[in-house]
Amino acid sequence: MMHKRSKSLEPSGRMEDHGGCHTGAMSCDDSATGKAPSSTAAAQCSTVSVYLARISGVPRHVTAVWSKNLINQSFTVSIDAGDADEGPVTHKVELKPWPFWSKKGVKSLDVGGDRVEMFWDLRSAKFAASSSPEPAGGYYVALVSNEEVVLLLGDCKKDAYKRTKSRPSLEDAVLVCRRESVFGRRSFTARARLDAGRSKEHEIVIESSLAGPKEPEMWITVDGFVLVHVKNLQWKFRGNETVLIDQAPVQVIYDVHDWLFAGSGSQAVFAFKAGAPTEAREDDGGNGIQGEGPDFCYFLQAWKTE
């Protein structure tokens, strides 16, 4: 197993500078934007996925946000309208537990003068036992433009095409980045794709030991293998390492400064980017890690609740 540390390990710039899925269509909750939750009760788990879809011939960023706290659960779709003054076109759907709430709907949106229809059906949606607010299956959310399904979320694809009476787009939407917020004390778990071109999900576990007589430590495990182990964390609270996952290089970038120095209710940010950094390819003289990694990046925000 290859395990290579990048040269750029100095704790200079913060992860907030490059840890974000920032697009004009971004619309998400406090936990996804870096603001501390006001209380544990208000802690909100969220997933934010940004896609690049072609709508009426124009490439636009589309952001899908699923969020959940102790009181509410919702999903929001925002489409970049290309107008900085007006901002994105957004529609939010509250997921109510009441029996009379309709889990199926349609909404017409005006995006830069073009009509976009948003269809959704969550009647059979299945949610995982974990805290993830996003359904694991049994649903669809579809965006339709000019009788083409330009973006389709969920696994009920046949039902979506039948209901929308539209054909698949000739150009598939591309997943640009994904960001997830999780909460815990010492251990944080998430399941995520680390390569937009592959459907396989990986189990990511981040564990830390910050108190006690020993020096602070952190472990980052993927699919049961410890790929990153950082000792003396108080001096190495920001870093970048390249590891192999399924024989492919993945950059792991982390910033746990606030865990150590900001107290309870603080967050750490982790980024997983497929492909090797440029400097690694240059140092290996063409004999080491090969190929340019895709633009996709997965961000994980881990909030400490103690």
Side-chain angles (χ1 to χ4, degrees), residues 2-205:
M2 182 274 292
H3 184 269
K4 180 170 181 177
R5 180 179 295 272
S6 168
K7 290 180 180 178
S8 56
L9 281 173
E10 295 81 0
S12 49
R14 295 178 60 83
M15 273 288 289
E16 286 84 347
D17 297 334
H18 31 196
C21 293
H22 297 296
T23 75
M26 181 57 63
S27 172
C28 50
D29 56 278
D30 287 351
S31 66
T33 53
K35 299 177 184 178
S38 57
S39 67
T40 301
Q44 183 157 275
C45 295
S46 66
T47 64
V48 181
S49 299
V50 180
Y51 300 85
L52 187 62
R54 187 168 292 277
I55 300 176
S56 296
V58 179
R60 299 185 186 276
H61 283 108
V62 180
T63 302
V65 180
W66 299 83
S67 58
K68 179 179 68 174
N69 59 24
L70 295 179
I71 302 174
N72 298 313
Q73 186 171 0
S74 66
F75 79 86
T76 304
V77 172
S78 300
I79 306 173
D80 183 9
D83 190 333
D85 295 330
E86 295 185 4
V89 177
T90 299
H91 182 61
K92 182 177 183 179
V93 177
E94 298 283 352
L95 309 184
K96 303 295 186 181
W98 308 319
F100 55 82
W101 172 74
S102 176
K103 297 180 180 180
K104 178 181 179 181
V106 60
K107 176 70 175 179
S108 181
L109 305 172
D110 185 341
V111 181
D114 297 316
R115 181 178 177 180
V116 177
E117 300 284 352
M118 174 179 165
F119 296 82
W120 67 91
D121 189 345
L122 302 171
R123 291 175 299 175
S124 301
K126 300 177 180 62
F127 292 87
S130 65
S131 59
S132 176
E134 188 171 355
Y139 79 103
Y140 66 79
V141 178
L143 294 183
V144 177
S145 173
N146 294 329
E147 299 183 345
E148 285 189 347
V149 178
V150 295
L151 177 64
L152 180 54
L153 308 179
D155 58 345
C156 297
K157 301 184 184 298
K158 290 184 179 180
D159 293 339
Y161 289 125
K162 182 178 180 180
R163 182 185 175 200
T164 61
K165 299 179 181 179
S166 301
R167 62 185 181 276
S169 174
L170 296 177
E171 188 172 344
D172 292 337
V174 177
L175 181 61
V176 178
C177 72
R178 179 175 170 85
R179 184 168 62 192
E180 185 169 357
S181 296
V182 295
F183 292 79
R185 295 184 176 181
R186 296 183 65 253
S187 181
F188 305 84
T189 303
R191 292 192 63 85
R193 293 161 57 186
L194 301 181
D195 187 334
R198 301 180 182 180
S199 59
K200 180 180 178 180
E201 288 191 340
H202 299 272
E203 182 179 43
I204 301 171
V205 179

Side-chain angles (χ1 to χ4, degrees), residues 241-254:
E241 298 195 15
T242 301
V243 300
L244 275 182
I245 299 177
D246 289 344
Q247 303 304 312
V250 175
Q251 299 172 59
V252 180
I253 308 165
Y254 63 88

